[in-house]
Amino acid sequence: MSENGIHTDFRDNMTYGEYLNLDKLLTSQERLSGHHDEMLFIVIHQVSELWMKLILHELDAAIESIEEDELPEAFKMLARVSRVQTQIIQAWDVLSTLTPAEYMEFRDSLGRASGFQSYQNRLIEFALGYKQAHIVKIYEKDPELAQKLETAYRAPGIYDVAIRALARAGFPINPELLMRDFSITYKGDSTVADAWLEVYRNVDKYWNLYQLAEKLVDIEDSHQQWRFRHMKTVERIIGFKTGTGGSSGVKYLKSVLDHQFFPELWEVRTKL
């Protein structure tokens, strides 16, 4: 079959590669060791960072939409986040084809560089409400990036704006929560728990808030799956060695598995 309409002269037109900056993208995989399997390691992490960039793009927009009571708009963004999360979860399956012996061939080339230092992962955690003061210090080498992390660290996360949405809907939310210090990780509040219980008991009346709650549960569920697959992949490849960035490795990754971003949304299932 002939495709006579295909454009072949791009002397005065932008190409696909130019639009996507493929010259930069595809030349950014520089193996420091020259070892064959280092390419896998680099590509998986770069692809994951690109997906994280999209997650942040959608989360930031969703937070803004929720603040403006545009919940249906936020639902589309949060649904997209959930779909992206499936991609970065599956990425661990590809990385797990790297054996311990293969990784040790180039691990020293990383120096102190570590996924622990992924600032986009930290921004995602901040957007989900998990705040740790010492994390910001990692990025002091780059003042502009450090300021970006500091701003996100002190900004309300998506659950904070969801709680504000409950208050605007007329629920008697503890007023101290609405203007609290958002740099402190949220621990839970009885007024929020009561509000979500009312939402789940009256789904038709509070349909948008119910949908918001379920979208948040989807995201937390997927994020915890990502954390678990991260932990098991690291354990499979390096066991219980200390991470290249100085973290305790698997022990640290296991320690965050029990943290809940949106505690009342999990508690309500028991109370219903």
Side-chain angles (χ1 to χ4, degrees):
M1 180 178 178
S2 177
E3 294 285 350
N4 294 325
I6 292 178
H7 295 288
T8 58
D9 185 354
F10 286 92
R11 286 172 292 185
D12 298 316
N13 291 283
M14 179 176 62
T15 66
Y16 171 81
E18 289 169 340
Y19 174 68
L20 295 177
N21 283 317
L22 290 183
D23 57 335
K24 295 180 181 178
L25 186 65
L26 298 179
T27 56
S28 297
Q29 296 74 44
E30 299 181 10
R31 290 178 291 162
L32 299 182
S33 68
H35 191 274
H36 174 84
D37 295 300
E38 190 179 357
M39 181 64 75
L40 163 67
F41 190 82
I42 293 171
V43 168
I44 286 295
H45 286 85
Q46 288 183 343
V47 168
S48 294
E49 290 292 337
L50 284 172
W51 281 128
M52 287 182 191
K53 182 172 184 176
L54 182 55
I55 287 174
L56 286 167
H57 178 70
E58 300 297 341
L59 281 178
D60 290 344
I63 288 172
E64 184 176 337
S65 293
I66 295 168
E67 283 279 64
E68 296 174 357
D69 284 324
E70 296 175 347
L71 298 188
E73 288 82 353
F75 298 158
K76 178 60 181 289
M77 299 161 189
L78 296 177
R80 183 173 291 162
V81 169
S82 294
R83 290 300 184 94
V84 174
Q85 287 175 306
T86 65
Q87 299 298 313
I88 60 173
I89 290 169
Q90 290 174 357
W92 295 121
D93 293 336
V94 182
L95 186 59
S96 66
T97 65
L98 181 68
T99 68
E102 290 165 345
Y103 181 51
M104 293 310 295
E105 289 289 332
F106 63 86
R107 187 176 191 243
D108 288 346
S109 298
L110 275 63
R112 294 184 178 179
S114 166
F116 187 84
Q117 299 147 15
S118 168
Y119 70 86
Q120 290 198 124
N121 182 41
R122 297 307 175 187
L123 287 171
I124 290 171
E125 289 185 337
F126 289 174
L128 297 180
Y130 186 53
K131 309 289 183 74
Q132 293 179 300
H134 69 278
I135 291 297
V136 180
K137 295 180 180 179
I138 295 174
Y139 310 96
E140 291 177 347
K141 180 179 180 179
D142 184 338
E144 184 176 347
L145 178 56
Q147 183 57 55
K148 183 176 183 178
L149 268 292
E150 181 69 23
T151 299
Y153 173 68
R154 299 192 178 282
I158 196 163
Y159 197 53
D160 294 308
V161 298
I163 291 172
R164 287 175 173 178
L166 288 171
R168 290 194 298 273
F171 290 99
I173 300 298
N174 178 358
E176 293 181 2
L177 294 179
L178 306 181
M179 296 302 295
R180 71 184 187 87
D181 182 352
F182 297 115
S183 69
I184 300 174
T185 299
Y186 178 76
K187 300 295 185 182
D189 185 273
S190 61
T191 62
V192 175
D194 291 343
W196 285 126
L197 184 59
E198 182 69 14
V199 167
Y200 273 79
R201 283 176 172 167
N202 296 276
V203 171
D204 292 340
K205 183 177 180 180
Y206 300 110
W207 177 252
N208 277 348
L209 289 170
Y210 171 73
Q211 283 285 87
L212 175 59
E214 286 298 290
K215 290 289 188 292
L216 294 178
V217 169
D218 287 342
I219 288 172
E220 175 161 352
D221 189 347
S222 292
H223 194 80
Q224 292 297 66
Q225 290 182 50
W226 180 84
R227 280 177 162 178
F228 178 78
R229 290 297 296 126
H230 185 185
M231 181 269 293
K232 294 305 293 184
T233 302
V234 171
E235 183 177 6
R236 175 172 177 158
I237 296 174
I238 68 168
F240 285 81
K241 291 185 180 72
T242 300
T244 50
S247 74
S248 58
V250 170
K251 290 181 180 179
Y252 169 77
L253 296 173
K254 281 186 175 181
S255 71
V256 297
L257 286 176
D258 290 332
H259 175 261
Q260 291 183 327
F261 296 106
F262 320 130
E264 292 89 357
L265 296 183
W266 295 99
E267 293 170 7
V268 72
R269 282 144 168 79
T270 302
K271 294 179 179 179
L272 280 174

